[in-house]
Amino acid sequence: MIKPNYMDKLLDGVEVEWKPLGEVVKIRNGKDWKKLSIGNIPVYGSGGVMAYVDKFAYDKPTVLIPRKGSITNIFYVENPIWNVDTIYYTEIDTNQLTPKFFYYYMKTIDLMKLDTGSGRPSLTQAILNKIPIPIPPLKVQEEIVRILDSFTELTAELTAELTARKKQYTYYRDKLLTFEEGEVEWKTLNNIVEFRNGKGHEKVIVDDGKYIVVNSKFISTNGKVKKYSNDQISPLFTNDILMVMSDLPNGRALAKCYLVCEDDRYTLNQRIGAFKNVEKKNVNTKYLFYVLNRNRQLLKYDNGVDQTNLKKDDILNIQIPIPPLAEQERIVSILDRFDTLVNDITSGLPREIELRQKQYEHYRNMLLAFQKSEVEA
């Protein structure tokens, strides 16, 4: 842990100079890339890498600052790049400023407050050049970079592990829920559940209401995106299995399911289907949830054009494998452990990544909280 007086010891009485960004960094515009040939040089726009070409605009460590669009998307790159006109690259005076230190400091600035766009967010060179930048000794900058790099590397390792675990989870889920013909009993979903559709809540949405309106975004993000209502137009009950029946383009939440764990908190929006297990003596509800979640049988029934779409009758027509209850419970036990690891925001890897990110931001802000500059932004 870094102690609060760490920066005082690191600076050892040295006064930190502040300069306008324009005195230590030259901001350069981007250019069109479409006439270039395909290669291995990444082309950056405000959203990130958009193509690869055979020429570079700049080949030294740089901080990329968006000019238009996603203006908070700041990138640090050390390898050759090409940048388009929606993002600036920077030539950094390395006698005064370490590129990575400059990147970390720019991440602490609320660039939305500098937005000059009337519609699409925009940043001008004139505005950026006035940002006050602290210039501690280079050895101090390097130490700060070393500390912050250690946090970002840990987060990157956890994210890579999460990606690997998700692939492992998908593999075992498919393996555990795949049965040979004649190996188990099969039932049509219509014979296992009672179905009801949600209802529109557009007219009763409020900023902070008694009930959470369950829509496709709520389900696809595991409850992170929320809309509220004071009217429970379509109640949900414990152990209801919810399924996204229509979604945004590209089917990002198609057939994504959600299991309700508590009563009286939710109200169901339209185009979300609710399934109540009425065959509990033969079918474990959690097992049924795992079978239905992104069930591949449903993909062939998507009849949407601009938006993916599933019909009630098609969903209820899919076949559900019914192994003995003991086997269902064994499958649930295995998949629950994987699900907790890769999806649980309170105890799994996502929670660990969130904590590490908060820890990084805390120390970044602390390490870069130099005495305020007299230079006005």
Side-chain angles (χ1 to χ4, degrees):
M1 179 176 290
I2 302 171
K3 295 181 179 180
N5 63 350
Y6 179 79
M7 282 307 300
D8 293 336
K9 292 182 178 179
L10 188 61
L11 289 171
D12 194 23
V14 176
E15 185 175 344
V16 175
E17 183 179 9
W18 289 75
K19 293 184 178 181
L21 183 148
E23 291 187 13
V24 290
V25 171
K26 292 181 179 179
I27 299 174
R28 302 300 189 190
N29 289 315
K31 299 178 182 179
D32 187 24
W33 62 277
K34 294 178 183 176
K35 293 183 180 180
L36 301 177
S37 299
I38 296 175
N40 60 1
I41 306 297
V43 177
Y44 276 87
S46 60
V49 176
M50 51 194 296
Y52 290 87
V53 295
D54 63 337
K55 293 183 179 180
F56 61 81
Y58 195 62
D59 64 346
K60 296 180 176 63
T62 185
V63 176
L64 304 178
I65 304 172
R67 184 179 74 87
K68 281 187 176 295
S70 304
I71 61 174
T72 59
N73 278 356
I74 297 177
F75 303 95
Y76 171 76
V77 290
E78 295 183 338
N79 299 317
I81 58 97
W82 186 277
N83 63 309
V84 300
D85 66 353
T86 60
I87 195 166
Y88 303 113
Y89 78 80
T90 53
E91 293 178 0
I92 302 165
D93 182 356
T94 54
N95 291 319
Q96 302 185 70
L97 199 58
T98 302
K100 197 70 173 288
F101 173 84
F102 175 54
Y103 163 75
Y104 280 129
Y105 187 76
M106 287 299 295
K107 294 288 286 184
T108 69
I109 297 173
D110 184 359
L111 293 175
M112 290 304 297
K113 289 184 177 180
L114 305 179
D115 175 24
T116 61
S118 57
R120 191 181 185 194
S122 300
L123 292 172
T124 66
Q125 289 195 31
I127 291 292
L128 290 170
N129 281 331
K130 293 179 181 179
I131 295 176
I133 303 295
I135 315 292
L138 287 176
K139 67 176 184 179
V140 174
Q141 296 182 36
E142 291 166 359
E143 175 62 8
I144 291 172
V145 167
R146 184 193 68 78
I147 294 169
L148 296 180
D149 275 353
S150 66
F151 283 113
T152 56
E153 287 168 7
L154 177 58
T155 301
E157 289 173 3
L158 289 170
T159 302
E161 182 181 355
L162 177 59
T163 300
R165 293 294 186 183
K166 283 185 174 180
K167 290 180 179 179
Q168 189 180 33
Y169 171 43
T170 299
Y171 169 80
Y172 279 108
R173 183 190 64 196
D174 292 347
K175 188 176 180 65
L176 288 167
L177 297 176
T178 299
F179 300 92
E180 299 293 334
E181 185 175 350
E183 185 179 1
V184 298
E185 180 185 5
W186 292 75
K187 286 188 176 183
T188 304
L189 181 60
N190 191 43
N191 294 321
I192 301 173
V193 301
E194 289 179 354
F195 173 88
R196 38 182 225 288
N197 207 345
K199 298 179 181 179
H201 285 71
E202 288 75 12
K203 295 181 180 180
V204 294
I205 297 295
V206 294
D207 291 334
D208 187 13
K210 183 177 180 180
Y211 304 107
I212 296 173
V213 179
V214 177
N215 55 18
S216 62
K217 287 187 177 181
F218 177 91
I219 294 177
S220 63
T221 58
N222 286 323
K224 291 183 181 178
V225 178
K226 296 178 181 178
K227 289 188 176 182
Y228 297 91
S229 167
N230 284 318
D231 300 318
Q232 196 176 34
I233 297 174
S234 183
L236 295 177
F237 306 100
T238 301
N239 291 325
D240 277 354
I241 299 172
L242 311 181
M243 179 185 292
V244 176
M245 297 172 63
S246 64
D247 185 39
L248 300 173
N250 303 320
R252 283 176 290 176
L254 178 63
K256 176 73 170 65
C257 291
Y258 185 91
L259 184 64
V260 177
C261 297
E262 55 184 309
D263 289 345
D264 301 328
R265 185 184 176 195
Y266 305 115
T267 181
L268 188 63
N269 203 33
Q270 60 187 355
R271 302 306 298 144
I272 308 295
F275 305 87
K276 180 169 290 295
N277 180 10
V278 295
E279 280 284 321
K280 293 182 181 179
K281 291 183 179 180
N282 299 310
V283 181
N284 181 295
T285 300
K286 195 67 175 292
Y287 167 81
L288 181 60
F289 161 77
Y290 281 123
V291 173
L292 290 177
N293 191 27
R294 297 195 184 280
N295 189 295
R296 292 179 182 176
Q297 295 179 66
L298 293 168
L299 298 180
K300 65 182 179 181
Y301 292 123
D302 174 22
N303 61 5
V305 179
D306 297 325
Q307 179 173 295
T308 55
N309 187 56
L310 291 170
K311 292 182 178 179
K312 165 191 170 183
D313 290 343
D314 290 333
I315 297 172
L316 293 176
N317 193 46
I318 67 170
Q319 298 294 307
I320 306 297
I322 313 293
L325 270 175
E327 177 62 10
Q328 295 179 39
E329 291 167 359
R330 185 185 75 88
I331 292 171
V332 167
S333 176
I334 295 171
L335 294 182
D336 273 352
R337 290 196 293 272
F338 273 112
D339 186 67
T340 297
L341 182 63
V342 303
N343 293 320
D344 194 330
I345 61 173
T346 62
S347 62
L349 279 171
R351 176 59 173 169
E352 184 69 16
I353 291 172
E354 180 185 15
L355 290 174
R356 291 298 151 271
Q357 182 63 25
K358 288 181 178 179
Q359 189 178 40
Y360 154 72
E361 291 173 359
H362 168 77
Y363 285 117
R364 181 193 65 192
N365 294 338
M366 185 185 79
L367 290 168
L368 297 174
F370 300 100
Q371 184 177 354
K372 289 184 179 180
S373 167
E374 295 180 359
V375 181
E376 293 187 3

Short mmCIF file of all heavy atoms in Angstrom, two decimals, residues 118-150:
data_model
loop_
_atom_site.label_atom_id
_atom_site.label_comp_id
_atom_site.label_asym_id
_atom_site.label_seq_id
_atom_site.Cartn_x
_atom_site.Cartn_y
_atom_site.Cartn_z
N SER A 118 -21.43 21.53 -30.70
CA SER A 118 -22.84 21.86 -30.50
C SER A 118 -23.70 20.61 -30.53
O SER A 118 -24.79 20.59 -29.97
CB SER A 118 -23.31 22.84 -31.57
OG SER A 118 -23.10 22.29 -32.87
N GLY A 119 -23.22 19.57 -31.20
CA GLY A 119 -23.93 18.30 -31.25
C GLY A 119 -22.98 17.17 -30.90
O GLY A 119 -23.00 16.62 -29.80
N ARG A 120 -22.12 16.84 -31.84
CA ARG A 120 -21.11 15.81 -31.61
C ARG A 120 -19.98 16.38 -30.75
O ARG A 120 -19.47 17.47 -31.04
CB ARG A 120 -20.56 15.33 -32.95
CG ARG A 120 -19.70 14.08 -32.86
CD ARG A 120 -19.19 13.70 -34.23
NE ARG A 120 -18.46 12.43 -34.19
CZ ARG A 120 -17.69 11.99 -35.18
NH1 ARG A 120 -17.56 12.73 -36.28
NH2 ARG A 120 -17.08 10.85 -35.07
N PRO A 121 -19.57 15.68 -29.67
CA PRO A 121 -18.50 16.20 -28.80
C PRO A 121 -17.23 16.51 -29.60
O PRO A 121 -16.85 15.75 -30.49
CB PRO A 121 -18.27 15.05 -27.81
CG PRO A 121 -19.57 14.32 -27.77
CD PRO A 121 -20.10 14.40 -29.17
N SER A 122 -16.58 17.63 -29.26
CA SER A 122 -15.39 18.06 -30.00
C SER A 122 -14.38 18.70 -29.05
O SER A 122 -14.74 19.34 -28.07
CB SER A 122 -15.77 19.08 -31.09
OG SER A 122 -16.67 18.54 -32.02
N LEU A 123 -13.09 18.52 -29.38
CA LEU A 123 -12.01 19.17 -28.66
C LEU A 123 -11.14 19.91 -29.67
O LEU A 123 -10.77 19.35 -30.71
CB LEU A 123 -11.15 18.13 -27.91
CG LEU A 123 -11.80 17.41 -26.75
CD1 LEU A 123 -10.89 16.29 -26.26
CD2 LEU A 123 -12.11 18.37 -25.61
N THR A 124 -10.81 21.16 -29.39
CA THR A 124 -9.95 21.93 -30.29
C THR A 124 -8.52 21.96 -29.74
O THR A 124 -8.29 21.82 -28.53
CB THR A 124 -10.46 23.36 -30.44
OG1 THR A 124 -10.33 24.04 -29.17
CG2 THR A 124 -11.92 23.38 -30.88
N GLN A 125 -7.57 22.19 -30.65
CA GLN A 125 -6.19 22.32 -30.22
C GLN A 125 -6.02 23.51 -29.28
O GLN A 125 -5.26 23.45 -28.31
CB GLN A 125 -5.27 22.48 -31.43
CG GLN A 125 -5.11 21.23 -32.26
CD GLN A 125 -3.94 21.31 -33.21
OE1 GLN A 125 -2.94 21.96 -32.92
NE2 GLN A 125 -4.05 20.64 -34.36
N ALA A 126 -6.73 24.59 -29.57
CA ALA A 126 -6.61 25.79 -28.74
C ALA A 126 -6.99 25.51 -27.29
O ALA A 126 -6.32 25.96 -26.35
CB ALA A 126 -7.49 26.91 -29.32
N ILE A 127 -8.07 24.76 -27.11
CA ILE A 127 -8.51 24.41 -25.76
C ILE A 127 -7.52 23.46 -25.10
O ILE A 127 -7.11 23.65 -23.94
CB ILE A 127 -9.92 23.78 -25.79
CG1 ILE A 127 -10.98 24.80 -26.18
CG2 ILE A 127 -10.25 23.14 -24.45
CD1 ILE A 127 -11.21 25.89 -25.15
N LEU A 128 -7.10 22.44 -25.83
CA LEU A 128 -6.18 21.45 -25.27
C LEU A 128 -4.84 22.07 -24.89
O LEU A 128 -4.25 21.72 -23.86
CB LEU A 128 -5.97 20.30 -26.26
CG LEU A 128 -7.16 19.37 -26.51
CD1 LEU A 128 -6.88 18.45 -27.68
CD2 LEU A 128 -7.46 18.55 -25.26
N ASN A 129 -4.35 22.98 -25.71
CA ASN A 129 -3.03 23.59 -25.46
C ASN A 129 -2.99 24.40 -24.17
O ASN A 129 -1.90 24.69 -23.66
CB ASN A 129 -2.64 24.47 -26.64
CG ASN A 129 -2.10 23.66 -27.81
OD1 ASN A 129 -1.53 22.60 -27.62
ND2 ASN A 129 -2.28 24.17 -29.03
N LYS A 130 -4.15 24.77 -23.64
CA LYS A 130 -4.19 25.56 -22.41
C LYS A 130 -4.22 24.69 -21.14
O LYS A 130 -4.09 25.21 -20.04
CB LYS A 130 -5.41 26.47 -22.41
CG LYS A 130 -5.38 27.56 -23.47
CD LYS A 130 -6.64 28.40 -23.40
CE LYS A 130 -6.65 29.48 -24.47
NZ LYS A 130 -7.91 30.28 -24.42
N ILE A 131 -4.41 23.39 -21.28
CA ILE A 131 -4.49 22.51 -20.10
C ILE A 131 -3.18 22.57 -19.33
O ILE A 131 -2.10 22.34 -19.88
CB ILE A 131 -4.77 21.06 -20.52
CG1 ILE A 131 -6.16 20.95 -21.16
CG2 ILE A 131 -4.67 20.12 -19.31
CD1 ILE A 131 -6.47 19.56 -21.70
N PRO A 132 -3.22 22.88 -18.03
CA PRO A 132 -1.98 22.91 -17.24
C PRO A 132 -1.48 21.49 -16.95
O PRO A 132 -2.24 20.63 -16.50
CB PRO A 132 -2.40 23.63 -15.95
CG PRO A 132 -3.87 23.43 -15.86
CD PRO A 132 -4.39 23.33 -17.26
N ILE A 133 -0.20 21.27 -17.21
CA ILE A 133 0.41 19.96 -17.02
C ILE A 133 1.51 20.06 -15.97
O ILE A 133 2.40 20.92 -16.07
CB ILE A 133 1.03 19.45 -18.35
CG1 ILE A 133 -0.03 19.39 -19.45
CG2 ILE A 133 1.67 18.08 -18.15
CD1 ILE A 133 -1.15 18.40 -19.21
N PRO A 134 1.50 19.20 -14.94
CA PRO A 134 2.57 19.22 -13.93
C PRO A 134 3.84 18.61 -14.52
O PRO A 134 3.79 17.60 -15.23
CB PRO A 134 2.00 18.36 -12.80
CG PRO A 134 1.07 17.41 -13.49
CD PRO A 134 0.47 18.17 -14.65
N ILE A 135 4.99 19.21 -14.21
CA ILE A 135 6.27 18.71 -14.72
C ILE A 135 7.20 18.40 -13.54
O ILE A 135 8.13 19.17 -13.24
CB ILE A 135 6.94 19.73 -15.67
CG1 ILE A 135 5.94 20.30 -16.66
CG2 ILE A 135 8.11 19.07 -16.41
CD1 ILE A 135 5.43 19.31 -17.68
N PRO A 136 6.98 17.30 -12.82
CA PRO A 136 7.93 16.90 -11.77
C PRO A 136 9.22 16.38 -12.43
O PRO A 136 9.25 16.18 -13.65
CB PRO A 136 7.19 15.80 -11.02
CG PRO A 136 6.26 15.21 -12.04
CD PRO A 136 5.86 16.34 -12.94
N PRO A 137 10.28 16.17 -11.66
CA PRO A 137 11.50 15.59 -12.24
C PRO A 137 11.20 14.28 -12.97
O PRO A 137 10.29 13.54 -12.59
CB PRO A 137 12.38 15.37 -11.02
CG PRO A 137 11.90 16.36 -10.01
CD PRO A 137 10.42 16.47 -10.23
N LEU A 138 11.97 14.01 -14.01
CA LEU A 138 11.72 12.81 -14.83
C LEU A 138 11.77 11.53 -13.99
O LEU A 138 10.99 10.60 -14.21
CB LEU A 138 12.73 12.73 -15.97
CG LEU A 138 12.53 13.75 -17.10
CD1 LEU A 138 13.66 13.63 -18.13
CD2 LEU A 138 11.19 13.54 -17.79
N LYS A 139 12.67 11.48 -12.99
CA LYS A 139 12.75 10.27 -12.17
C LYS A 139 11.48 10.06 -11.36
O LYS A 139 11.07 8.92 -11.10
CB LYS A 139 13.97 10.32 -11.24
CG LYS A 139 13.90 11.39 -10.16
CD LYS A 139 15.10 11.28 -9.23
CE LYS A 139 14.97 12.29 -8.08
NZ LYS A 139 16.12 12.19 -7.13
N VAL A 140 10.82 11.17 -10.98
CA VAL A 140 9.55 11.08 -10.27
C VAL A 140 8.46 10.60 -11.22
O VAL A 140 7.64 9.74 -10.88
CB VAL A 140 9.18 12.44 -9.65
CG1 VAL A 140 7.77 12.38 -9.03
CG2 VAL A 140 10.20 12.84 -8.60
N GLN A 141 8.45 11.16 -12.42
CA GLN A 141 7.49 10.72 -13.42
C GLN A 141 7.63 9.22 -13.68
O GLN A 141 6.64 8.49 -13.77
CB GLN A 141 7.69 11.49 -14.73
CG GLN A 141 7.43 12.98 -14.63
CD GLN A 141 7.61 13.68 -15.96
OE1 GLN A 141 7.29 13.12 -17.01
NE2 GLN A 141 8.13 14.90 -15.95
N GLU A 142 8.85 8.76 -13.82
CA GLU A 142 9.10 7.34 -14.11
C GLU A 142 8.64 6.44 -12.97
O GLU A 142 8.12 5.34 -13.20
CB GLU A 142 10.59 7.13 -14.40
CG GLU A 142 11.03 7.77 -15.72
CD GLU A 142 12.54 7.87 -15.85
OE1 GLU A 142 13.24 7.45 -14.88
OE2 GLU A 142 13.02 8.37 -16.88
N GLU A 143 8.82 6.89 -11.74
CA GLU A 143 8.37 6.09 -10.59
C GLU A 143 6.85 6.01 -10.54
O GLU A 143 6.27 4.96 -10.25
CB GLU A 143 8.92 6.70 -9.29
CG GLU A 143 8.43 6.03 -8.01
CD GLU A 143 8.84 4.56 -7.88
OE1 GLU A 143 9.64 4.07 -8.71
OE2 GLU A 143 8.33 3.90 -6.94
N ILE A 144 6.19 7.14 -10.82
CA ILE A 144 4.73 7.14 -10.86
C ILE A 144 4.22 6.19 -11.95
O ILE A 144 3.28 5.42 -11.73
CB ILE A 144 4.20 8.57 -11.08
CG1 ILE A 144 4.46 9.42 -9.83
CG2 ILE A 144 2.70 8.56 -11.42
CD1 ILE A 144 4.16 10.89 -10.01
N VAL A 145 4.86 6.23 -13.10
CA VAL A 145 4.48 5.33 -14.20
C VAL A 145 4.67 3.88 -13.79
O VAL A 145 3.82 3.03 -14.06
CB VAL A 145 5.31 5.65 -15.46
CG1 VAL A 145 5.16 4.54 -16.50
CG2 VAL A 145 4.88 6.98 -16.06
N ARG A 146 5.78 3.60 -13.10
CA ARG A 146 6.04 2.22 -12.66
C ARG A 146 4.93 1.72 -11.74
O ARG A 146 4.44 0.59 -11.90
CB ARG A 146 7.39 2.14 -11.93
CG ARG A 146 7.79 0.73 -11.52
CD ARG A 146 8.95 0.74 -10.54
NE ARG A 146 8.57 1.29 -9.26
CZ ARG A 146 7.90 0.63 -8.32
NH1 ARG A 146 7.48 -0.61 -8.55
NH2 ARG A 146 7.61 1.20 -7.17
N ILE A 147 4.51 2.55 -10.80
CA ILE A 147 3.47 2.15 -9.85
C ILE A 147 2.14 1.93 -10.58
O ILE A 147 1.47 0.91 -10.38
CB ILE A 147 3.31 3.22 -8.75
CG1 ILE A 147 4.58 3.29 -7.90
CG2 ILE A 147 2.10 2.91 -7.87
CD1 ILE A 147 4.62 4.48 -6.96
N LEU A 148 1.76 2.88 -11.42
CA LEU A 148 0.47 2.77 -12.10
C LEU A 148 0.47 1.64 -13.12
O LEU A 148 -0.55 0.98 -13.33
CB LEU A 148 0.11 4.10 -12.76
CG LEU A 148 -0.12 5.26 -11.79
CD1 LEU A 148 -0.47 6.53 -12.54
CD2 LEU A 148 -1.23 4.93 -10.78
N ASP A 149 1.61 1.39 -13.75
CA ASP A 149 1.70 0.26 -14.67
C ASP A 149 1.44 -1.06 -13.96
O ASP A 149 0.83 -1.97 -14.52
CB ASP A 149 3.09 0.21 -15.33
CG ASP A 149 3.19 1.10 -16.56
OD1 ASP A 149 2.15 1.65 -16.98
OD2 ASP A 149 4.31 1.24 -17.10
N SER A 150 1.92 -1.16 -12.72
CA SER A 150 1.73 -2.42 -11.97
C SER A 150 0.25 -2.68 -11.73
O SER A 150 -0.20 -3.83 -11.79
CB SER A 150 2.49 -2.37 -10.64
OG SER A 150 1.94 -1.39 -9.77
#
